[in-house]
Every structure is written in structure tokens, then in C-alpha cells.
Amino acid sequence: MTGKRYSTATAVALICAATVLAAPGTAFASPASAPATPAQPPADPTPRTDKSLEQVRKEIDDLYHDAGVATDAYNAAEEKADKQSKQIVQLARDIAKGQAKLKKLKARAGAAARAQYRGGGMPSEAQLMLSDDPGQFLDGARRMRQGEKATKGMLTELERTQDDLRVYAEDATARWTKLEANRKSKAAAKKKIKKKIAAAEKIESTLEKKEQERLRKLEEAAALKKQSAWVSSGVLKDIGGKASARGKKAIEFATAQIGKPYVWGAEGPGSYDCSGLTSKAWASAGRGIPRTSQEQWKQLPRVDVKNMRPGDLIIYHSDASHVGMYLGDGAIVHAPRPGRDVTITGAGSMQILGVVRPDK
């Protein structure tokens, strides 16, 4: 995306509706029958005012925000569960290796015991004392010391292997316990996400098509108002950093996803949630970063807004529940929420918590 510039401007359109009333037709009845009552058309629902729609917008925003927080919790639990699953698999391999090693050591110990039995059960020291040949005595003494050393080493290794197996087993048990806890956390977060999204969609489904269009315009107007206030503060005067080589690759990936739908928990290739988009974008640039916006805020190096450059990640809301990638010229690319697609919008259109730099 070298040299490519981005700017955002949103126009708020006014929708005017005209009501056309049709004149009722004339009804005729036979003289013997009572006059027929003309059928009355169903009354149109009273259209919501902009004020009531604004309340609906805020209610929907709150629901989707809560769904975003729950999505972060789900993604974090999933990431931990994946990591713990891999660790458990590695522990299982270590245990298998330890058990094979223990089996070999026990076989060696058994062979030594059988050798002593074949010697009549007499200790090697006693057998050595019965030798009349000085050379045989010295050679036997040397071999006896070597044998004692080897036996001691074998017993030490046997004990250490048994200790390792015990530690592996305890570690595996602990990780299984954590894995189950994270699975429960995922299930709870998933339930909350679906509940919040369903509530928001239910509210939206009660709106007439024209009201939905007006609601979209109100969303755009609210975002434009915040962006205008942010730009008017003069913050962009101090922002002039250039994207790093990796930052350019991350931007190229992220902007190539524009138009793909937001799906909670998704990280491509057909859909994304907010942190799924940013984590995959930076992974494409060769830099692995945490999966969730909250962990991106906690773990990645922070920079002042005035020092941010294209490719940096802007974290939003006091609970770090949303993230977008800065493009320059006061714009970001992000996956907004359910029902919306990956898009470009103003960097100041939401409450900025801070900025982090993956390749600092």
C-alpha cells in the first residue's frame, strides 16, 4: 500500500417520505340487504422519531459492545485451550518416552540381578577375595569399581526417570483441569455472545426498512461527529510517521479484506472479528501478536497517539474491547460488528484507549 492515501468523509442524508391517500371506492348493495361497510386498510405504524431511533441506536450499540467483550473472552479462552492442548500432547509424548526409558532401565537392573544369581548369589567382593592370582585380583577390582559405578548411575537414572514421570503426570493433570475450565469459559462466553447479538437483531427486526436506513444514517452521523471533534482537536498535525516494511505488509493484508463480513470468533479467510483481522494481518507480515484486542493492549509496546504510524493498532473503549489498524490520514481499517463488513472509517469515530505497535 506504499504511497496510497486514505481519507474518510461521511455525508448524512435526509429521507423525506410522502404519504399518498387513495380515495375510497363507492360500494353498492341490493335493496334487500344492509349497506355494506367498506373494508378499512390497516393503519400504518407510527414512524419513530429521530430521537427514539437514537435511543434504539444506543441500545443496539450497547448490546454489540457487550457481545464484543464476550467475543474477546471467548477468543482468549480458545487461545488458552489450544495452547494447553498442545502442551498436554507434548506431555503425553514425554511420558511415553519416559516409560520406554524406564522399561529399559528396569531390564538392565533385572539383567544385573540375574548375573549375580548366576554367580551363586555371592557378592563380587567375596569372589574377588578368593582369587589367588594378583593380576586377576587387580583386574577384577577395576571391573568391580566400574560395575559399581555403572550400577549406581543406572539406579540414579532410574530414580530420576521415575521422578520425571511423576512430575509429567501431575503437570498433565493440572493442565487438563485448566483446559476444562477454559472450555467452560468458552461455552459461557459463546452463550452470552449469541444472547446479546440475538437481542440486538430482534430490536433491528422491529424497524421498518426506512427506519433501518435512518438508523444507519444516525450511526454514520454519530461516527462523523466524533471523528470531526477528534480531527478538530489538531491531533493530526503531529502525526506524520511512516509505515515500516512489515507495517506496509500488514496494511496490504488488512485492506484486502474490505467487504468481508464480521463474524465473531472468525480469523479468516472469509470473515473476521476485529482482533482476528489485526492478528492475521500482522501474522501475514511475519509478526505473531496476541489473538484478542485486550491481550494486544496488555502485551504489545505502547506509543503516544501523536507518534503513531500506519500499521499501528488503535485500541478502543475503556475495556479494550475493539481494535482497528491505523492507515494514515486519520483513518483505520477494522471489522466493526455483527451485521457489518470490514471497512475503512475515521480513527477518532470511537473512544480511543491507546495505541500499540506490533513491530516496535
Side-chain angles (χ1 to χ4, degrees):
M1 303 302 292
T2 308
K4 189 171 182 179
R5 309 287 286 178
Y6 294 93
S7 61
T8 55
T10 308
V12 181
L14 297 177
I15 300 176
C16 300
T19 303
V20 179
L21 300 178
T26 306
F28 297 92
S30 63
S33 61
T37 303
Q40 297 296 321
D44 291 333
T46 303
R48 289 179 171 85
T49 64
D50 281 353
K51 184 176 181 180
S52 64
L53 270 180
E54 178 63 16
Q55 292 174 340
V56 169
R57 183 190 70 80
K58 289 181 178 179
E59 186 176 357
I60 291 173
D61 278 353
D62 288 343
L63 288 168
Y64 280 127
H65 171 266
D66 290 346
V69 174
T71 298
D72 240 23
Y74 176 90
N75 290 335
E78 185 175 49
E79 189 175 35
K80 288 178 181 178
D82 288 344
K83 184 177 180 181
Q84 286 158 358
S85 294
K86 291 176 182 177
Q87 291 171 338
I88 288 172
V89 169
Q90 185 57 52
L91 281 169
R93 289 173 181 166
D94 291 339
I95 289 172
K97 289 179 182 178
Q99 288 173 336
K101 184 178 180 181
L102 186 63
K103 185 178 180 180
K104 289 180 181 179
L105 289 171
K106 286 182 176 180
R108 284 172 56 191
R114 288 191 296 273
Q116 185 177 357
Y117 177 76
R118 285 194 298 269
M122 185 181 293
S124 54
E125 294 90 340
Q127 295 181 34
L128 187 62
M129 292 299 292
L130 295 175
S131 175
D132 294 330
D133 186 342
Q136 184 181 1
F137 179 88
L138 292 174
D139 184 57
R142 179 180 58 79
R143 285 188 286 106
M144 184 184 72
R145 286 195 298 271
Q146 289 176 343
E148 288 176 346
K149 185 176 181 181
T151 301
K152 184 178 180 180
M154 180 184 66
L155 293 174
T156 300
E157 191 173 5
L158 183 65
E159 184 178 354
R160 185 170 57 247
T161 302
Q162 289 174 325
D163 287 341
D164 287 345
L165 284 172
R166 177 180 52 79
V167 171
Y168 290 155
E170 290 175 353
D171 197 7
T173 300
R175 293 189 186 281
W176 269 114
T177 301
K178 290 181 179 179
L179 181 61
E180 286 303 310
N182 279 316
R183 283 175 176 167
K184 290 180 181 178
S185 296
K186 277 177 60 178
K190 184 176 182 178
K191 185 177 180 180
K192 184 174 182 179
I193 293 165
K194 289 188 172 182
K195 181 179 179 181
K196 295 295 182 179
I197 292 177
E201 290 176 343
K202 184 177 180 180
I203 293 173
E204 288 181 296
S205 69
T206 64
L207 301 177
E208 298 293 325
K209 185 175 181 180
K210 288 185 177 181
E211 289 177 330
Q212 291 177 0
E213 292 172 355
R214 286 168 55 206
L215 180 65
R216 187 68 176 259
K217 295 298 181 182
L218 286 173
E219 289 178 0
E220 293 173 354
L224 178 60
K225 183 178 180 180
K226 291 177 182 177
Q227 173 72 359
S228 298
W230 185 68
V231 172
S232 297
S233 69
V235 64
L236 292 180
K237 294 178 182 179
D238 298 323
I239 302 175
K242 303 297 182 182
S244 65
R246 280 185 171 180
K248 291 176 182 177
K249 289 181 179 179
I251 290 172
E252 184 178 359
F253 179 94
T255 52
Q257 312 313 311
I258 291 173
K260 293 183 179 180
Y262 176 107
V263 174
W264 67 268
E267 47 187 335
S271 57
Y272 296 87
D273 63 19
C274 66
S275 56
L277 176 65
T278 54
S279 61
K280 284 299 182 181
W282 272 100
S284 74
R287 174 73 169 95
I289 64 174
R291 171 64 178 85
T292 69
S293 59
Q294 292 177 341
E295 289 303 310
Q296 288 170 6
W297 174 241
K298 289 178 183 177
Q299 297 184 34
L300 297 179
R302 299 179 185 180
V303 295
D304 290 337
V305 171
K306 65 180 180 181
N307 295 325
M308 70 180 177
R309 67 190 186 195
D312 287 347
L313 304 181
I314 302 181
I315 309 298
Y316 292 96
H317 310 307
S318 59
D319 52 10
S321 58
H322 191 70
V323 60
M325 180 179 293
Y326 187 59
L327 299 176
D329 293 336
I332 62 166
V333 57
H334 74 145
R337 66 164 176 83
R340 300 290 185 262
D341 299 331
V342 176
T343 189
I344 293 175
T345 192
S349 60
M350 295 168 282
Q351 178 195 356
I352 295 176
L353 177 60
V355 181
V356 295
R357 179 165 295 163
D359 61 342
K360 186 174 181 179

